[in-house]
Amino acid sequence: MNFSISIIPNYGLTDKYWKNASCINNTDKSAECVVSEWIACPIAHSSITYALRVVGDTMTAQHESLHSYPDGSVIFVDPTLPAKNSSRVIIKLANSEEVTFRQLTTDIGKMDLKPVNNQYATVEMPTNAQICGVVIGCFIAE
């Protein structure tokens, strides 16, 4: 079965953020979600799964043994799945329309956002940040 997913375009992005988060997390029903291309998701997912193109190297592993999301790869994000320890998640930053992609780590009630690339710092997840979905897969073109 072939599933179509929209890729939200990269509106003036830095290496860490996607803009138009109100479209991504569907909090603003009036937000216009522009589809830049369609791509098939090869695994089972919810009807509101979306895809994003990774920008930058914060989620690129420095070691081959770690799962990596290099610049330009496409991640599939399912907002219906619960985030748990070690999930890769899309987070809407507090008081911002930007979102970021990180690995969620939990320890005794504390939640941190960890980049795969150890050249970037792990930060504590702000208490008013929102998880917009869990990454369920990645596509890297040859």
Side-chain angles (χ1 to χ4, degrees):
M1 188 173 224
N2 196 19
F3 298 95
S4 294
I5 307 298
S6 61
I7 293 181
I8 308 302
N10 305 329
Y11 297 112
L13 304 175
T14 69
D15 66 336
K16 299 178 185 175
Y17 304 102
W18 288 278
K19 298 256 184 189
N20 204 9
S22 58
C23 181
I24 290 171
N25 67 12
N26 206 23
T27 57
D28 181 359
K29 302 295 183 194
S30 66
E32 184 177 333
C33 298
V34 179
V35 176
S36 61
E37 64 184 287
W38 292 95
I39 188 167
C41 181
I43 59 175
H45 60 279
S46 75
S47 63
I48 57 173
T49 294
Y50 56 90
L52 297 169
R53 191 172 309 279
V54 174
V55 177
D57 67 349
T58 55
M59 292 301 284
T60 303
Q62 299 297 303
H63 305 285
E64 291 181 18
S65 62
L66 298 175
H67 197 77
S68 188
Y69 305 87
D71 185 66
S73 60
V74 174
I75 54 174
F76 296 96
V77 184
D78 192 336
T80 66
L81 296 177
K84 54 189 175 194
N85 189 42
S86 298
S87 292
R88 271 70 172 192
V89 294
I90 302 299
I91 302 288
K92 183 181 181 298
L93 303 175
N95 303 319
S96 175
E97 286 303 311
E98 297 178 336
V99 294
T100 190
F101 172 35
R102 294 289 187 276
Q103 180 177 352
L104 180 68
T105 60
T106 59
D107 185 29
I108 312 172
K110 180 183 172 200
M111 297 193 327
D112 290 326
L113 301 174
K114 178 182 177 183
V116 173
N117 186 334
N118 60 11
Q119 294 179 338
Y120 296 90
T122 297
V123 297
E124 188 171 349
M125 185 166 140
T127 56
N128 57 351
Q130 176 186 4
I131 297 174
C132 298
V134 175
V135 174
I136 59 171
C138 178
F139 172 76
I140 301 170
E142 291 294 327

